[in-house]
Amino acid sequence: MKAALFSVLCDIKEKTVLSMRGAEEEEPPDAQIMRLDNMLLAEGVSGPEKGAAAAAAAALAAAGESLNDNSAEHSDYRDKLAQIRQIYHSEMEKYEQACNEFTTHVMNLLREQSRTRPISPKEIERMVAIIQRKFSSIQMQLKQSTCEAVMILRSRFLDARRKRRNFTKQAIEILNEYFYSHLANPYPSEEVKEELAKKCSITVSQVSNWFGNKRIRYKKNIGKYQEEANLYAVKTAVDATNTSTHSSQASSPHTPNSGGYPAPCYTPDGRL
DNA sequence: TACCATGATTCGTC
DNA sequence: GACGAATCATGGTA
């Protein structure tokens, strides 16, 4: 009799609860969690640890960076990202553990109480689902704050990169030498840019920037750059002479200056 | 501290 | 996507 009554009460309760919560039962898959998961994966925070460095590199590459540049800054970025990753995983683990413990506790409690009041296994399941939803919302907050932390780290890193650093004298020398010896066509090819970048210990895009700035500033104020142009013209001439002295068949990498940008001027006696 | 030099960025054009 | 032009922002110096 007691069992039959318990079952009837459970049925009544079930129907009441269903009518009250029917609307809440079917939730669409959470797009926000998916977005956060994708982002954390792309930034190398979640996912396999092995792929984290590659993901971080890809994230920086997407921001226009190359991992060969300023390795100290990059390693700093990677270190901080690793810290975020570690915190994220330990917090996630904690939440999962807490969720499991709390769920077990509630289930035991409900089973215990089911002896004295009508609690069906379905209701216990529902309760477990509610708890898990609550914990997953907490986890979502964690994911969100982790994403924010990564974004802050990234923007700081990029801001740091934005800071201007003057090139070394040697680098300027190499770039100017190429520029003034190719005044007719100061547009280095990709290969040449790579070579110059290597020689100057800067990036190819820095070489491109430098030539872009140089071309326009030279054109705008030829008079100001005249002295510099003459200096490098003489230097190139001397180099060419030395090269031809050593090997008459050696071909100079410098193309003669003809047309294009105005050439440097010489004094009648052939000197500056 | 003002000023100039210069590397980087942005935007429009081809 | 490369380039020119304008502009920004910082480094160096008098």
Side-chain angles (χ1 to χ4, degrees):
Chain A
M1 183 66 183
K2 190 186 169 187
L5 192 64
F6 184 84
S7 171
V8 168
L9 284 171
C10 277
D11 276 350
I12 293 167
K13 193 175 176 186
E14 187 67 25
K15 278 172 192 165
T16 317
V17 169
L18 276 177
S19 68
M20 282 168 67
R21 295 185 182 170
E24 294 175 19
E25 288 297 319
E26 285 181 23
E27 282 186 355
D30 199 334
Q32 200 178 351
I33 285 192
M34 276 174 70
R35 269 205 307 277
L36 290 170
D37 280 340
N38 286 340
M39 189 182 159
L40 291 172
L41 199 64
E43 293 293 338
V45 176
S46 62
E49 190 154 359
K50 227 179 164 183
L60 287 181
E65 300 297 326
S66 152
L67 273 186
N68 293 325
D69 315 336
N70 295 329
S71 55
E73 287 177 31
H74 280 108
S75 69
D76 189 40
Y77 177 84
R78 279 197 294 266
D79 288 349
K80 292 203 166 108
L81 194 68
Q83 268 179 27
I84 292 174
R85 184 185 159 87
Q86 199 184 344
I87 292 168
Y88 170 77
H89 283 291
S90 83
E91 287 297 310
M92 217 47 161
E93 211 170 300
K94 251 192 263 175
Y95 280 130
E96 267 166 26
Q97 202 180 338
C99 178
N100 288 339
E101 279 174 14
F102 189 69
T103 306
T104 314
H105 178 72
V106 169
M107 278 170 73
N108 289 339
L109 205 66
L110 289 175
R111 278 197 200 106
E112 192 73 29
Q113 287 188 358
S114 69
R115 290 180 197 163
T116 52
R117 64 188 184 96
I119 300 175
S120 65
K122 240 183 186 175
E123 198 179 343
I124 295 176
E125 270 175 39
R126 197 178 299 124
M127 190 58 78
V128 167
I130 289 168
I131 293 166
Q132 277 170 356
R133 268 206 297 276
K134 284 281 172 203
F135 271 92
S136 79
S137 85
I138 293 170
Q139 282 183 336
M140 193 175 82
Q141 279 174 23
L142 174 67
K143 284 176 183 179
Q144 208 155 11
S145 55
T146 306
C147 280
E148 280 168 15
V150 172
M151 286 296 102
I152 290 167
L153 173 68
R154 209 165 148 187
S155 67
R156 275 185 192 163
F157 174 79
L158 291 175
D159 280 350
R161 287 302 310 264
R162 196 186 159 90
K163 278 187 179 174
R164 194 169 65 78
R165 292 275 181 277
N166 286 343
F167 296 160
T168 61
K169 273 187 180 178
Q170 204 182 354
I172 298 289
E173 188 101 344
I174 292 165
L175 294 168
N176 272 324
E177 215 167 290
Y178 186 91
F179 180 81
Y180 288 113
S181 62
H182 293 77
L183 263 183
N185 184 37
Y187 298 89
S189 65
E190 243 354 85
E191 290 79 30
V192 173
K193 279 183 194 172
E194 279 172 24
E195 199 183 320
L196 288 170
K198 217 174 189 179
K199 278 186 189 170
C200 301
S201 303
I202 57 177
T203 66
V204 173
S205 57
Q206 282 178 307
V207 172
S208 298
N209 284 339
W210 189 90
F211 272 90
N213 286 324
K214 191 72 183 181
R215 278 192 298 265
I216 201 157
R217 283 164 187 165
Y218 179 81
K219 207 167 90 176
K220 265 187 179 175
N221 200 347
I222 295 170
K224 190 183 131 194
Y225 290 96
Q226 199 68 66
E227 201 181 330
E228 190 179 65
N230 290 334
L231 199 74
Y232 282 99
V234 168
K235 203 171 176 226
T236 305
V238 169
D239 285 351
T241 311
N242 287 342
T243 310
S244 64
T245 308
H246 286 100
S247 163
S248 58
Q249 285 186 331
S251 58
S252 167
H254 307 310
T255 54
N257 180 36
S258 56
Y261 287 76
C265 64
Y266 297 89
T267 54
D269 61 352
R271 299 179 62 211
L272 286 174

